[in-house]
Amino acid sequence: MKLSRMYKTFTVGAVLTVLSAFAEGNNHNAGTRINMPYRKMGLSQRQAAAHLLSRFTFGIRPGEIDEVMKMGPDKWLKQQLEANLPDEEVAKRLTGYDALDLNNDSIVNTYLNGGQVLRMAVRKNVVNKDSVQAAGKKEYQDKLRAFMTQEGYKPMQELQRQLINQKIIRSAYGQNQLQEVMTDFWFNHFNVSLTKNQCEQFVLTYERDAIRANALGNFETMLVATAKHPAMLEYLDNASSVSNNNELSRKQERAAPMQRVKQQQGLNENYAREIMELHTLGVDGGYTQKDVTELARALTGWSPAPLYNDGLAKKIIDRVAAERMEKQGFVREGDFLFRANKHDEGEKTILGRTFAANGGYKEGMDILHMLANHSSTATFICTKIATRFVADTPSTDLVNRMAGVFLQSKGDIRSVIIAMVNSREFWDDHAFREKIKSPFEFAISAIRATDADVQQPFQVYNWCMKMGQRFYYYQAPTGFPDRAAYWINTGSLLNRMNFGLAFATEKIPGIKLNLIGLNNNHEPESADAALEVYSKLLLPERNHEANIRRLTAMVRDVNLAKKINEKATLNEKTNTIAMTYVAGNNAMVSQVAGIIIGSPEFQRK
């Protein structure tokens, strides 16, 4: 069912019926030229600018369409693809975020998890190991907090808060919007989760160094960067995937036969399976279970380098000379360590290609190269990109053309995006505003549309959770689904309307708006007039007639917020807030703006 059928009237009995209806409906290669056919598709330059901004940013800011018009849509896109605009506003808002530039070594030895803090405190006789059962007692907790302060340790929650806040700040205020949109896309594609303790310390650098740094670059480079990063190696358990099928391991066993019992042994196929199914070939990419097992064997020994200063493994690695390690086949690259004594040295056959025995570290690299440049990978990746930017079900012809560019350019992401934008499908009527914003995109687009000043970004995160998206915490390696049906249901729509009203009426702590300023400091004379004015301001280059007709009854209803909350409380899973409006000159404008932001039309991009 189309969104245009939403909100025809707003009565208490109609709220859930209407909302349920919505739930049903719903450095590029030299020679690669940007040649967008929007005029051939009957669009004006202004319409083209609005569409580009809608898809390649987190929302259109006031005056931004005019800026793109002045520059020209092609030059604007080229600038976004280069992603080197200065970001003074982001830098200013990130002042004091001291973890963002740290490397993994510093993070691991500063932001300790609970178990590490306890072990250190016991070792230094701050607490007695027999008192662990008293962990809930205030005296015990006070000792641990004092110990952390004395040693310079910081709580893991602070690291996570900085990670979350910086994402909101970059997305809301960053100039290099396409880079941020693609960072969001690729993080979801190569998903890791803060829910897994072993990788939570590494997620910040994973996004910064493996994802954002490569978001508009080469796919193979990004695949390798994620494969070697401690976050991915821990998240999908490759750090514990080992083999004794190598001479070095056998020598060590002969020298210390009891050591084998102490070591964690065994092949883990989790990462190998997800590389093929989720990261490269796709579930229908032509691989077999035997291919998964063979790939898991090839990746044995791929692990994070020991970083924790109190760990025995780090002390051993630090003592062993680099020359000796290299001679034995070990490879150390930053935070990545190829443990030759844990690698399966046998012959392997993957996707019909045989890899000779004793391939070592190079074997894994050769296989990643093969997967990154496979035709199934090209199709799978281009389908996901087209799904994100064109439609939930992109045409086969479009995907095939993009996949051809992917293979020809050896995985150049910029070239693939240009091929998509140069297609007629990207500019087709059916693609316009047919994508539904995720809760994160929805919240950030509201901030950008209103030029809001967000002083407490974590409050935005709390609302994203209420609306169903706890980003960085999605447990499954699939990442969040990119389809309207996943995001849209009655409960989520009620929460989105609640967010719109709370946001526009400044009931969310740490967020300030100047809605009258958006209209050159002119206050509309009535709710109906405000609906017309702010529809144009918050939803530029849209056909407003039908949406205004649907929302008119709502903006005239002074008890709107109360009715929404009454309906929301019927759903036990919906976390809502009580909405009250403070009488004032802007109360009417705030409610109208909130209704527009919470409306179905604002959900589209």
Side-chain angles (χ1 to χ4, degrees):
M1 182 177 290
K2 288 287 186 181
L3 289 180
S4 58
R5 296 174 60 183
M6 292 293 297
Y7 293 102
K8 288 184 177 178
T9 59
F10 191 88
T11 63
V12 176
V15 175
L16 290 181
T17 302
V18 175
L19 292 174
S20 297
F22 181 28
E24 291 176 14
N26 274 289
N27 183 17
H28 48 277
N29 292 344
T32 302
R33 296 176 59 248
I34 299 174
N35 187 23
M36 299 179 284
Y38 60 87
R39 295 193 188 280
K40 293 179 181 177
M41 300 302 291
L43 301 176
S44 68
Q45 191 181 53
R46 176 169 287 278
Q47 289 172 320
H51 187 51
L52 285 175
L53 289 165
S54 178
R55 293 298 165 87
F56 292 143
T57 74
F58 280 106
I60 303 175
R61 297 178 65 248
E64 202 166 18
I65 293 177
D66 290 331
E67 293 173 12
V68 176
M69 288 275 292
K70 183 178 180 180
M71 181 185 301
D74 55 340
K75 291 182 180 179
W76 178 85
L77 181 59
K78 182 176 184 294
Q79 189 180 68
Q80 286 296 308
L81 288 167
E82 291 168 351
N84 57 12
L85 291 171
D87 255 332
E88 292 93 346
E89 182 65 21
V90 169
K92 182 179 73 174
R93 289 176 180 272
L94 291 179
T95 301
Y97 285 68
D98 54 355
L100 299 187
D101 293 325
L102 297 180
N103 58 26
N104 281 325
D105 190 293
S106 297
I107 290 174
V108 165
N109 291 290
T110 301
Y111 294 92
L112 273 59
N113 60 41
Q116 290 172 326
V117 171
L118 180 59
R119 285 192 294 273
M120 292 291 288
V122 168
R123 185 167 293 130
K124 297 195 175 187
N125 296 317
V126 174
V127 296
N128 190 296
K129 63 180 179 180
D130 297 328
S131 67
V132 172
Q133 292 182 349
K137 293 184 178 179
K138 184 177 184 303
E139 181 183 355
Y140 177 86
Q141 295 296 333
D142 288 345
K143 283 184 178 181
L144 286 182
R145 278 192 289 270
F147 169 71
M148 290 180 67
T149 301
Q150 177 184 327
E151 298 294 325
Y153 299 138
K154 298 180 181 180
M156 187 68 68
Q157 293 90 334
E158 173 58 27
L159 179 68
Q160 295 173 359
R161 181 176 289 264
Q162 289 197 34
L163 170 67
I164 289 165
N165 285 359
Q166 64 84 33
K167 178 179 176 68
I168 292 167
I169 289 169
R170 292 183 198 278
S171 300
Y173 300 105
Q175 294 296 310
N176 299 294
Q177 280 286 294
L178 179 53
Q179 182 183 45
E180 287 308 309
V181 169
M182 291 304 292
T183 297
D184 182 68
F185 171 83
W186 288 119
F187 188 98
N188 199 57
H189 179 78
F190 293 106
N191 187 53
V192 299
S193 175
L194 287 172
T195 57
K196 187 155 188 174
N197 290 340
Q198 292 92 329
C199 79
E200 62 182 341
Q201 291 166 311
F202 304 117
V203 174
L204 188 150
T205 62
Y206 177 76
E207 181 186 70
R208 184 190 70 199
D209 301 335
I211 303 296
R212 181 176 289 107
N214 299 299
L216 288 165
N218 177 267
F219 176 77
E220 181 178 348
T221 302
M222 182 160 42
L223 175 66
V224 172
T226 61
K228 291 182 178 179
H229 199 282
M232 182 62 75
L233 291 166
E234 294 287 4
Y235 173 61
L236 288 176
D237 305 310
N238 207 77
S240 60
S241 184
V242 297
S243 172
N244 289 320
N245 184 24
N246 60 77
E247 183 57 30
L248 183 57
S249 180
R250 287 189 286 271
K251 282 182 180 179
Q252 292 173 341
E253 184 183 338
R254 288 193 291 271
M258 294 303 295
Q259 188 68 19
R260 182 176 182 179
V261 178
K262 299 178 183 178
Q263 295 174 340
Q264 182 181 6
Q265 305 297 326
L267 188 71
N268 191 303
E269 297 183 356
N270 287 354
Y271 182 45
R273 178 175 294 103
E274 305 310 354
I275 284 180
M276 288 185 161
E277 179 178 330
L278 300 177
H279 298 172
T280 59
L281 304 174
V283 68
D284 299 318
Y287 64 90
T288 65
Q289 174 55 41
K290 187 173 186 301
D291 291 322
V292 172
T293 302
E294 295 285 89
L295 176 56
R297 290 177 58 215
L299 294 177
T300 48
W302 283 51
S303 67
L307 297 173
Y308 184 40
N309 284 335
D310 198 55
L312 178 61
K314 178 173 173 58
K315 293 176 182 177
I316 293 173
I317 292 294
D318 288 346
R319 281 204 308 266
V320 177
E323 292 180 6
R324 179 182 167 191
M325 290 181 63
E326 185 177 347
K327 189 176 292 186
Q328 292 181 339
F330 285 73
V331 175
R332 173 74 184 265
E333 292 181 1
D335 303 328
F336 168 78
L337 177 66
F338 173 73
R339 297 185 294 168
N341 63 329
K342 296 301 174 186
H343 180 65
D344 188 318
E345 291 182 343
E347 180 184 274
K348 306 165 187 76
T349 300
I350 300 173
L351 298 178
R353 177 178 166 183
T354 298
F355 295 84
N358 302 310
Y361 164 73
K362 185 176 182 299
E363 174 181 79
M365 292 294 290
D366 288 345
I367 294 170
L368 290 180
H369 174 75
M370 177 181 70
L371 292 174
N373 293 278
H374 197 280
S375 59
S376 292
T377 299
T379 299
F380 181 60
I381 297 301
C382 291
T383 298
K384 290 195 74 171
I385 292 175
T387 298
R388 175 66 177 254
F389 294 106
V390 180
D392 282 3
T393 54
S395 73
T396 302
D397 286 346
L398 173 61
V399 170
N400 288 342
R401 292 196 302 275
M402 292 168 62
V405 172
F406 183 99
L407 292 171
Q408 186 179 23
S409 66
K410 300 187 184 304
D412 184 71
I413 297 165
R414 291 182 177 94
S415 296
V416 171
I417 291 174
I418 290 172
M420 177 179 67
V421 173
N422 284 349
S423 74
R424 297 173 69 90
E425 289 90 339
F426 183 82
W427 302 100
D428 190 273
D429 277 347
H430 297 295
F432 269 54
R433 293 175 284 280
E434 283 303 305
K435 289 294 296 179
I436 299 298
K437 299 172 185 175
S438 69
F440 177 74
E441 292 172 315
F442 170 60
I444 300 299
S445 67
I447 294 168
R448 289 178 62 81
T450 57
D451 257 347
D453 180 15
V454 179
Q455 295 296 328
Q456 297 181 35
F458 207 80
Q459 296 289 342
V460 178
Y461 174 70
N462 288 336
W463 270 97
C464 287
M465 284 197 295
K466 292 177 186 179
M467 294 185 286
Q469 188 178 14
R470 194 184 184 197
F471 50 90
Y472 293 127
Y473 284 88
Y474 194 79
Q475 286 187 277
T478 55
F480 290 104
D482 186 11
R483 59 179 186 275
Y486 180 78
W487 297 119
I488 299 303
N489 56 61
T490 300
S492 68
L493 288 172
L494 283 167
N495 273 330
R496 289 188 182 213
M497 179 58 79
N498 262 321
F499 170 82
L501 292 169
F503 176 81
T505 56
E506 298 184 88
K507 297 301 185 297
I508 302 178
I511 300 180
K512 298 298 180 185
L513 289 79
N514 182 5
L515 292 172
I516 298 298
L518 292 179
N519 191 36
N520 295 319
N521 295 313
H522 297 305
E523 185 173 355
E525 295 181 357
S526 66
D528 287 3
L531 179 58
E532 286 222 25
V533 168
Y534 283 89
S535 289
K536 293 175 183 177
L537 291 171
L538 301 177
L539 292 166
E541 294 304 310
R542 305 275 183 111
N543 185 343
H544 300 291
E545 183 179 345
N547 196 48
I548 288 174
R549 189 167 57 248
R550 288 190 296 270
L551 301 182
T552 296
M554 297 176 68
V555 302
R556 294 174 179 173
D557 191 338
V558 295
N559 295 313
L560 172 68
K562 180 181 178 182
K563 293 176 180 178
I564 290 178
N565 277 299
E566 286 175 351
K567 287 298 179 184
T569 55
L570 297 176
N571 185 343
E572 293 180 357
K573 295 181 180 179
T574 301
N575 186 7
T576 60
I577 64 171
M579 297 296 300
T580 57
Y581 296 102
V582 179
N585 291 333
N586 300 334
M588 175 265 292
V589 169
S590 296
Q591 174 157 322
V592 169
I595 290 169
I596 294 170
I597 291 171
S599 72
E601 188 65 20
F602 196 85
Q603 313 299 319
R604 293 199 175 280
K605 60 177 181 176

